Amino acid sequence: TEPTPTNSFGGDLHGVIDKLDHLVELGVTGIYFTPIFQANTNHKYDTEDYLKIDPHFGDEKKFKELIDTIHSLNMGVTLDVVFNHVYDVNTYPYSILVPGYAYHTQDNGFLTNSSGCGNDLNTTKLMVRRLILDCLMYFKKEFKVDGFRFDLMDLLDIDTLNIAKDRLLEIDEDNIVYGEGWN
């Protein structure tokens, strides 16, 4: 059998929950999670699946419990989302279903590399935009997260970002939406 994954706190999520009171004592009002999505490497910015939680954070039920506990201590939760590239263009579902569909390409047909990962997602494509919006709504509605930090935000198109912001603010006018500048 494979060992149970542990998180950077050196234990399971229960161990993390046990440490939250200390953060409250320090005056912390919010918890920011670097990417929680399933990744194919230890570098969590190498997203493999936007709708699956990395096992280090437990299953969906455990992660919801963590967020509920954080909220019960009057702290907010912000997730870092990486919608600018994928880990592997050869295994990404859109690449398999419709080769080349999901990416920006140069005039010579090669994938662009503004992200430094060699495969910039083209968020103007209807189904890529839909994936992003569905993912944000899923984590907002199901997990009750309070905000999102967009990795390399400038690589996403402004229309997708505005639609996302509007939909998130319709659910919660206090929702936090911000991102990393990149040009």
Side-chain angles (χ1 to χ4, degrees), residues 2-42:
E2 291 190 24
T4 303
T6 59
N7 57 38
S8 60
F9 287 88
D12 60 4
L13 287 178
H14 185 69
V16 173
I17 290 172
D18 288 345
K19 293 171 178 61
L20 291 174
D21 286 333
H22 180 66
L23 295 177
V24 172
E25 290 172 14
L26 294 173
V28 173
T29 59
I31 304 291
Y32 162 80
F33 285 99
T34 57
I36 62 159
F37 305 123
Q38 181 174 319
N40 212 7
T41 68
N42 286 332

Side-chain angles (χ1 to χ4, degrees), residues 5-8 32-50 52-58 79-87 117 149 151:
T6 59
N7 57 38
S8 60
Y32 162 80
F33 285 99
T34 57
I36 62 159
F37 305 123
Q38 181 174 319
N40 212 7
T41 68
N42 286 332
H43 182 54
K44 295 305 170 201
Y45 289 86
D46 288 339
T47 301
E48 184 178 68
D49 190 325
Y50 293 112
K52 288 186 182 172
I53 296 173
D54 186 277
H56 290 90
F57 292 101
L79 298 182
D80 194 339
V81 291
V82 186
F83 296 124
N84 52 72
H85 74 282
V86 298
Y87 173 69
C117 299
R149 180 260 189 198
D151 183 65

Side-chain angles (χ1 to χ4, degrees), residues 147-163:
F148 298 93
R149 180 260 189 198
F150 288 79
D151 183 65
L152 307 181
M153 187 181 224
D154 286 354
L155 298 182
L156 282 65
D157 74 283
I158 193 68
D159 290 338
T160 297
L161 291 169
N162 280 328
I163 293 167

Side-chain angles (χ1 to χ4, degrees), residues 8-172:
S8 60
F9 287 88
D12 60 4
L13 287 178
H14 185 69
V16 173
I17 290 172
D18 288 345
K19 293 171 178 61
L20 291 174
D21 286 333
H22 180 66
L23 295 177
V24 172
E25 290 172 14
L26 294 173
V28 173
T29 59
I31 304 291
Y32 162 80
F33 285 99
T34 57
I36 62 159
F37 305 123
Q38 181 174 319
N40 212 7
T41 68
N42 286 332
H43 182 54
K44 295 305 170 201
Y45 289 86
D46 288 339
T47 301
E48 184 178 68
D49 190 325
Y50 293 112
L51 296 172
K52 288 186 182 172
I53 296 173
D54 186 277
H56 290 90
F57 292 101
D59 58 20
E60 289 183 1
K61 181 180 179 202
K62 296 255 187 239
F63 194 63
K64 284 180 184 181
E65 289 173 7
L66 174 61
I67 292 174
D68 288 345
T69 302
I70 292 169
H71 284 152
S72 74
L73 296 169
N74 294 317
M75 291 190 288
V77 175
T78 302
L79 298 182
D80 194 339
V81 291
V82 186
F83 296 124
N84 52 72
H85 74 282
V86 298
Y87 173 69
D88 185 347
V89 296
N90 297 313
T91 60
Y92 188 60
Y94 286 154
S95 297
I96 295 167
L97 292 172
V98 186
Y101 171 78
Y103 309 99
H104 286 287
T105 57
Q106 300 171 17
D107 290 339
N108 61 8
F110 288 106
L111 299 175
T112 61
N113 191 25
S114 299
S115 64
C117 299
N119 61 62
D120 304 323
L121 280 178
N122 186 345
T123 60
T124 65
K125 299 287 188 169
L126 180 61
M127 292 312 295
V128 175
R129 177 179 289 168
R130 170 87 186 261
L131 173 67
I132 291 168
L133 296 172
D134 286 353
C135 179
L136 294 171
M137 294 301 107
Y138 173 68
F139 281 96
K140 182 67 182 171
K141 291 177 180 179
E142 293 297 318
F143 293 85
K144 312 291 189 239
V145 299
D146 303 293
F148 298 93
R149 180 260 189 198
F150 288 79
D151 183 65
L152 307 181
M153 187 181 224
D154 286 354
L155 298 182
L156 282 65
D157 74 283
I158 193 68
D159 290 338
T160 297
L161 291 169
N162 280 328
I163 293 167
K165 174 192 61 108
D166 291 345
R167 289 190 184 174
L168 290 166
L169 291 175
E170 283 175 12
I171 298 168
D172 176 5

